[in-house]
Amino acid sequence: MNITQINNSQENNQYKPSFKNGQLMSNIFMAVDKHVILGVSAIDLGSMVIPRTTIDFTRNKQAGIETAFRESSSTATHAAIGVAGLGAASLLALMLRCKNYGVDFKKITANADNLEGMAKVFKSVIDENKNISDKDELAKKFLDKIFEDVKGLSGNSELQDGKPIWSALKQESQNIAGETINTKNNIVEILLNEQKNNKSFRIPAAALDRLQVYLNMDIPSTQMLKVKLADKVVTTEGVHLLEDAYSLTKSFTQDKVLKSFKEATDVSKVNFVQDLKKLSLRKTVLGLAAICAVALSMQTFNRHMTKKRTGLDGFVGDPNYGRNHHEDCHKEHNVNKDGLFVPLKILSMLAMGFFIYKTINASSLKDLASKLQFKGNLPTMNQIKLVYGSTILGRLFAAKDKNELRESTFRDFLGYTNFLVLGALVTKCFVNWKDKSLINYEATGDKKGIKSLFNWLQNST
């Protein structure tokens, strides 16, 4: 198998956008866009954990300690979403061992759309080549079809009739030096070689990096790709496309799985595909249920630890906290806990729940399940929205009186908006100001007014 090697000069000649102030800033913003948890953690630390803790220490020592735990535990919970998904996958994979597929299920991170699309492509390859029994040949034909129609946005710097251009992955490409690179062939050959040389169902990081370089030769940004898979076009990220192509090629060519594809009359009859789809759904439900349960309980646990340290059970932000506790503080808490307290708490929690659902932008419960799927080892923004929202619901539930409920409602609703809307807005506006070519955007819906801004914020990468 002949693979065109990429030397250092070729790599340096590929599309590497940079800010005027240096490559470092460009790399930082591209890393944040690629790994959303990095941006989320940075915003959380800089705009909530540090300033809120600092301010609450000026109230009293216990308020500062409780706030430090409350805010930092929220950041840790977001970072642990991927761990929860991996744990759920490992647990569920044990249930499928008895079927002896010869597949390491916990290493497969394909979502339902990519799985179904690629399964249909593989089934068509099997049906069109019934006389071929060689696994390597079937794998090559499968991968050729996967990368037959892959497109990505070229960026704001390239427009045609006012609309962004979709760049297609080509059979051959030329770098700035004029050297011809067999882009598509090299991607397929690297994947095939990795299949043979690695037993793992997860592609090695070094190979994944090489593959992304080839993708970037034709497609400047691979954060949003449109891939034709059988009878549908799926939207995915470049890294997920490569990971899924590797893991599913290796899975589909296992003896028992390959036999089931050949015997089935339709993809829906392939037991392995149906088992993998069920595992993906159950992993999402189990993993997110576990991490959301932790998020919901964090503030209650935090309050318990405060009470254990101080012997006091009340709102640490109360000006009278710790002073004449058995008289003034207890009396004020009783006044605040009037008949409206519980209804207001329920109303605040319902409003927050509705806010979470709207920011995820799901059109139905089925769409909600689809948008919350795990799409790799790191959490998606929609998963972070759900878990952070659960954290806020836990804070509202743990409120002891109307003062704490009011403070938590205003603080955390604004925090949620800052965390998930303003942070992304500032980042994208800054990047757009420095180098418009780094922003990919295809206009949908309203193109004027405030709705245009929200469309840009939601649909740009």
Side-chain angles (χ1 to χ4, degrees):
M1 296 182 182
N2 297 319
I3 299 177
T4 303
Q5 296 295 324
I6 298 180
N7 55 39
N8 290 334
S9 65
Q10 289 175 320
E11 286 188 1
N12 291 334
N13 285 327
Q14 300 313 311
Y15 179 84
K16 288 188 177 182
S18 61
F19 292 103
K20 296 176 183 177
N21 294 334
Q23 184 69 30
L24 178 61
M25 290 297 293
S26 176
N27 290 339
I28 290 173
F29 279 108
M30 293 181 76
V32 168
D33 191 38
K34 183 178 178 181
H35 304 297
V36 67
I37 189 64
L38 296 179
V40 165
S41 298
I43 292 171
D44 200 13
L45 184 66
S47 65
M48 287 185 273
V49 177
I50 294 175
R52 286 180 177 179
T53 300
T54 302
I55 291 171
D56 278 0
F57 262 113
T58 64
R59 286 176 158 183
N60 60 70
K61 179 181 177 182
Q62 296 305 325
I65 294 174
E66 186 170 300
T67 298
F69 181 85
R70 181 190 71 221
E71 299 297 335
S72 60
S73 63
S74 174
T75 306
T77 305
H78 305 149
I81 295 173
V83 176
L86 182 61
S90 300
L91 181 63
L92 293 168
L94 295 174
M95 300 169 60
L96 293 174
R97 278 190 176 182
C98 60
K99 298 198 175 183
N100 298 317
Y101 285 122
V103 173
D104 188 354
F105 282 94
K106 65 179 180 293
K107 297 292 179 66
I108 302 174
T109 58
N111 62 24
D113 289 337
N114 285 6
L115 170 60
E116 185 176 358
M118 291 188 183
K120 286 182 177 179
V121 172
F122 190 74
K123 178 59 178 169
S124 70
V125 169
I126 295 295
D127 292 343
E128 293 168 5
N129 301 275
K130 294 182 179 179
N131 296 327
I132 297 178
S133 58
D134 183 69
K135 293 181 181 179
D136 291 340
E137 190 172 351
L138 290 173
K140 186 178 187 310
K141 289 182 179 294
F142 169 61
L143 290 171
D144 283 338
K145 281 201 170 188
I146 292 297
F147 293 96
E148 190 174 55
D149 190 352
V150 178
K151 297 177 181 178
L153 282 168
S154 298
N156 280 347
S157 60
E158 298 182 45
L159 299 174
Q160 186 175 45
D161 297 328
K163 295 181 180 180
I165 298 173
W166 285 87
S167 298
L169 182 64
K170 303 172 185 176
Q171 188 66 39
E172 293 184 347
S173 302
Q174 284 191 332
N175 60 18
I176 297 176
E179 299 167 312
T180 300
I181 307 296
N182 297 317
T183 314
K184 196 178 297 185
N185 285 344
N186 282 351
I187 290 175
V188 171
E189 297 299 342
I190 290 174
L191 286 167
L192 289 172
N193 281 343
E194 292 300 328
Q195 300 279 329
K196 290 183 177 181
N197 299 329
N198 294 284
K199 294 182 178 180
S200 175
F201 283 78
R202 180 176 297 156
I203 189 168
L208 185 60
D209 289 340
R210 290 178 62 203
L211 289 166
Q212 290 187 85
V213 170
Y214 280 117
L215 273 182
N216 284 133
M217 288 182 181
D218 295 327
I219 304 173
S221 173
T222 60
Q223 289 304 96
M224 184 171 68
L225 301 179
K226 286 186 177 180
V227 186
K228 180 73 182 303
L229 296 176
D231 59 350
K232 66 185 297 185
V233 175
V234 302
T235 301
T236 187
E237 293 183 22
V239 64
H240 295 154
L241 173 65
L242 296 168
E243 289 175 339
D244 295 348
Y246 173 86
S247 62
L248 292 180
T249 302
K250 197 170 187 68
S251 300
F252 291 164
T253 52
Q254 298 300 306
D255 291 337
K256 189 171 181 179
V257 179
L258 182 58
K259 183 180 178 182
S260 68
F261 267 99
K262 290 182 176 181
E263 293 176 347
T265 57
D266 185 76
V267 171
S268 62
K269 302 293 193 301
V270 180
N271 292 332
F272 172 78
V273 175
Q274 300 310 311
D275 285 339
L276 190 53
K277 287 175 70 174
K278 290 177 183 176
L279 183 141
S280 178
L281 176 61
R282 290 168 181 170
K283 177 177 73 173
T284 298
V285 173
L286 182 60
L288 291 181
I291 199 68
C292 284
V294 173
L296 284 164
S297 64
M298 289 308 296
Q299 182 59 12
T300 299
F301 175 76
N302 192 11
R303 294 296 297 273
H304 172 74
M305 295 304 295
T306 299
K307 183 178 179 180
K308 193 171 182 179
R309 283 195 311 271
T310 64
L312 306 179
D313 184 19
F315 175 35
V316 289
D318 193 313
N320 294 320
Y321 185 80
R323 301 174 185 173
N324 300 320
H325 173 70
H326 294 293
E327 296 178 12
D328 298 335
C329 209
H330 182 70
K331 180 179 179 180
E332 185 169 346
H333 287 169
N334 284 336
V335 171
N336 284 327
K337 285 186 176 179
D338 58 22
L340 290 176
F341 176 65
V342 173
L344 286 173
K345 178 185 286 193
I346 294 173
L347 182 62
S348 297
M349 294 179 70
L350 288 174
M352 188 65 223
F354 179 75
F355 194 32
I356 296 168
Y357 182 78
K358 294 301 289 184
T359 55
I360 295 175
N361 197 29
S363 58
S364 64
L365 289 178
K366 184 178 181 180
D367 186 40
L368 179 65
S370 176
K371 290 190 173 184
L372 291 175
Q373 288 183 95
F374 283 94
K375 299 179 180 180
N377 296 318
L378 296 176
T380 66
M381 181 54 83
N382 282 331
Q383 291 174 336
I384 294 172
K385 290 176 183 178
L386 177 68
V387 174
Y388 184 46
S390 299
T391 302
I392 294 175
L393 288 172
R395 294 174 184 175
L396 295 173
F397 178 78
K400 288 290 184 179
D401 56 44
K402 286 172 64 177
N403 287 335
E404 183 175 11
L405 179 63
R406 180 177 60 252
E407 180 171 313
S408 183
T409 299
F410 282 100
R411 178 193 66 218
D412 292 324
F413 267 84
L414 290 174
Y416 190 87
T417 304
N418 165 70
F419 189 58
L420 300 170
V421 179
L422 297 182
L425 178 62
V426 170
T427 301
K428 289 181 178 180
C429 285
F430 181 82
V431 174
N432 193 64
W433 171 57
K434 283 293 184 181
D435 190 344
K436 289 185 177 181
S437 67
L438 289 177
I439 296 290
N440 284 310
Y441 172 57
E442 183 177 41
T444 59
D446 294 313
K447 298 182 180 180
K448 295 181 179 180
I450 190 67
K451 289 187 177 180
S452 174
L453 176 63
F454 280 107
N455 282 334
W456 180 81
L457 182 61
Q458 183 176 350
N459 298 319
S460 62
T461 61

